Amino acid sequence: MAQLDVKQKLAILADAAKYDASCASSGTSKRDSRDGKGLGSTEGMGICHAYAPDGRCISLLKILLTNSCIFDCHYCINRKSSNVQRARFTAAEVVNLTLSFYRRNYIEGLFLSSGIISSPDYTMEQIVEVARSLREDHHFRGYIHLKTIPDADPELVHQAGLYADRVSINVELPTSSGLKRLAPEKDEARIEGAMRGVTASIADLSDAKAKYKSAPRFAPAGQSTQMIVGADAATDGDIVGKASQLYDRFNLRRVYYSAFSPIPDASAVLPLQRPPLMREHRLYQSDWLMRFYEFKPHEVVAATDAATGMLPLDIDPKLAWALKFREHFPVDVNRAPRETLLRVPGLGVKAVKNILASRRWRRLRLDDVARLTVSIAKIRPFIVTDDWRPVSLTDRAELKPLVAPKKQQLELFAA
């Protein structure tokens, strides 16, 4: 490997990290250095931009320790057989970069992943050393997210959780057959075994922390994972089902979806084109329905096309479900329970909360609902108020053009 300076390494390894989507920093414990002790903070506005659920923009130094790898996963641009320029940071270089960027107010945390060099254990040792040095040698109190290696010794993964705010282990692909075909050196059982170990450690040390103030914390922001969308034949229904299983079995904080992107010198087994980015967006929306709108996985799957198993790209999954199951509508906003109101297209969690609060004091009219939502036009065919009732419910074919978002032609030189 040619000798590169730190700036050249940063250009290569920051670019190589862009394919990892799981870098949000929400949910960690609050720490700061306003008492004059230590350095950094997990709060406030802080070279990757992620967004927390409350809308805050989080700036993270998002890099790989190295883009060299002994594995040859077909979909990975850093695979062993890929013709890309390689680079590698030392643990000390990553520590110095993080501190330097933080002091300049460029970032408020670190997201560190890596290709596998020498062995999974050796690579994991280097990743852990970065976090250990930041925490113990420099008293860094900012956010740290470590991408761990499922093939590494469980004790090393455990050490990562003691220093990091969040740890993540990628399941890579939504089906076992896809993983065997595209990443034959990776094993689903080992991946899920590592995730199970992290889940157990989070639970054990959380219980210990509740009893003993001096107990160490372990990944207070939980663990997450990522699935590649469109590299194999998995349908949206397959992906939704897999995500639901992962949430239930490992109590994950987030499942991230990353649309497959064709890479240079691609393997012949990969598709020639990337899937529509809208597909990734629809999967995030379906994920939101399960996490915040009380939809069951089978209900989200029911919104997919029966023939293809895919979610529609022209409308969101919630609207697709409502159009497919018209027998559940219209909903009386003055009487319906929360779980029913959450299924109304166009009503968000905040709007439902406001409806439930307002109707304690008065009967709601259509204008009242309009003031609580962004667009009453989308909602009107699905609700009943004191002064409104859809007199004749049109069939799905006639209703969809009325409630689907209008296609907009983007102007090339629009101001």
Side-chain angles (χ1 to χ4, degrees):
M1 186 182 296
Q3 291 297 316
L4 303 172
D5 61 30
V6 172
K7 185 176 181 180
Q8 291 171 318
K9 293 179 183 179
L10 183 62
I12 295 169
L13 297 175
D15 183 71
K18 67 185 179 184
Y19 298 98
D20 207 317
S22 53
C23 61
S25 62
S26 59
T28 188
S29 57
K30 295 181 178 180
R31 300 187 304 276
D32 60 54
S33 52
R34 286 178 293 182
D35 58 0
K37 299 177 181 179
L39 173 73
S41 167
T42 58
E43 305 176 77
M45 303 294 294
I47 254 203
C48 160
H49 294 99
Y51 290 88
D54 60 4
R56 288 183 304 116
C57 179
I58 308 295
S59 299
L60 302 175
L61 175 59
K62 181 183 177 184
I63 55 175
L64 300 184
L65 185 69
T66 180
N67 63 341
S68 297
C69 193
I70 61 175
F71 286 178
D72 205 25
C73 304
H74 290 284
Y75 51 81
C76 183
I77 194 170
N78 300 316
R79 68 192 189 281
K80 179 173 61 177
S81 60
S82 181
N83 184 26
V84 296
Q85 186 177 10
R86 308 290 182 172
R88 174 183 171 184
F89 282 126
T90 64
E93 285 174 330
V94 176
V95 170
N96 291 335
L97 272 174
T98 304
L99 297 176
S100 178
F101 275 65
Y102 190 89
R103 290 188 176 108
R104 288 169 172 78
N105 200 32
Y106 293 161
I107 61 168
E108 50 188 312
L110 170 68
F111 176 93
L112 182 62
S113 183
S114 182
I116 299 173
I117 46 176
S118 298
S119 70
D121 283 353
Y122 175 78
T123 307
M124 197 68 237
E125 286 173 356
Q126 300 303 301
I127 291 173
V128 170
E129 173 57 21
V130 170
R132 185 212 63 78
S133 180
L134 283 169
R135 295 294 195 215
E136 295 183 353
D137 298 340
H138 301 279
H139 307 289
F140 182 71
R141 299 187 180 185
Y143 182 84
I144 297 178
H145 181 161
L146 299 181
K147 181 60 63 67
T148 60
I149 301 169
D151 296 305
D153 187 293
E155 179 56 30
L156 290 170
V157 177
H158 183 80
Q159 289 180 30
L162 293 175
Y163 294 117
D165 294 276
R166 176 175 290 182
V167 296
S168 53
I169 302 171
N170 284 357
V171 297
E172 306 292 356
L173 294 162
T175 65
S176 300
S177 58
L179 191 66
K180 289 178 182 177
R181 181 167 175 260
L182 299 180
E185 294 158 306
K186 295 185 176 179
D187 181 82
E188 183 179 39
R190 289 201 301 269
I191 293 172
E192 294 194 354
M195 295 174 75
R196 191 176 299 110
V198 170
T199 302
S201 294
I202 291 174
D204 290 345
L205 289 180
S206 178
D207 290 343
K209 193 70 176 176
K211 297 177 182 178
Y212 309 105
K213 189 175 181 180
S214 60
R217 65 188 186 93
F218 187 94
Q223 71 167 318
S224 59
T225 193
Q226 177 174 320
M227 282 190 278
I228 300 170
V229 176
D232 63 356
T235 66
D236 291 344
D238 295 330
I239 295 171
V240 169
K242 180 69 171 183
S244 174
Q245 292 175 15
L246 294 171
Y247 278 124
D248 291 343
R249 294 168 60 190
F250 305 116
N251 195 28
L252 297 185
R253 187 60 62 90
R254 285 290 301 274
V255 175
Y256 291 87
Y257 307 96
S258 178
F260 165 73
S261 180
I263 56 180
D265 304 316
S267 166
V269 303
L270 292 174
L272 297 177
Q273 292 184 326
R274 68 178 301 160
L277 280 177
M278 184 56 71
R279 183 184 176 193
E280 178 186 303
H281 180 61
R282 297 303 184 208
L283 286 167
Y284 274 115
Q285 289 178 319
S286 69
D287 193 89
W288 219 250
L289 292 182
M290 292 188 291
R291 294 171 60 212
F292 300 107
Y293 287 79
E294 301 181 11
F295 274 71
K296 303 299 182 185
H298 71 269
E299 292 179 302
V300 178
V301 173
T304 63
D305 183 272
T308 65
M310 297 295 186
L311 293 166
L313 299 180
D314 57 340
I315 56 176
D316 65 78
K318 189 177 178 183
L319 179 57
W321 184 88
L323 292 174
K324 203 168 184 178
F325 298 97
R326 291 304 311 280
E327 64 271 18
H328 295 282
F329 302 96
V331 168
D332 188 340
V333 297
N334 287 297
R335 302 180 63 181
R338 180 178 183 272
E339 59 269 21
T340 301
L341 290 173
L342 285 172
R343 280 163 168 69
V344 175
L347 286 184
V349 174
K350 184 177 180 180
V352 169
K353 179 181 178 181
N354 290 335
I355 287 173
L356 293 174
S358 299
R359 75 185 193 186
R360 294 174 58 191
W361 308 104
R362 56 173 293 182
R363 300 278 297 178
L364 299 181
R365 300 166 64 85
L366 191 62
D367 286 347
D368 297 322
V369 178
R371 283 192 288 270
L372 299 175
T373 60
V374 175
S375 173
I376 193 62
K378 183 177 181 179
I379 303 170
R380 194 162 43 193
F382 300 99
I383 63 171
V384 171
T385 67
D386 252 14
D387 63 336
W388 165 259
R389 178 180 294 273
V391 178
S392 59
L393 291 178
T394 54
D395 63 31
R396 298 173 200 158
E398 294 172 343
L399 181 57
K400 183 177 177 179
L402 299 177
V403 294
K406 302 296 185 291
K407 293 183 179 180
Q408 296 182 350
Q409 178 65 46
L410 299 178
E411 296 183 22
L412 183 59
F413 299 104

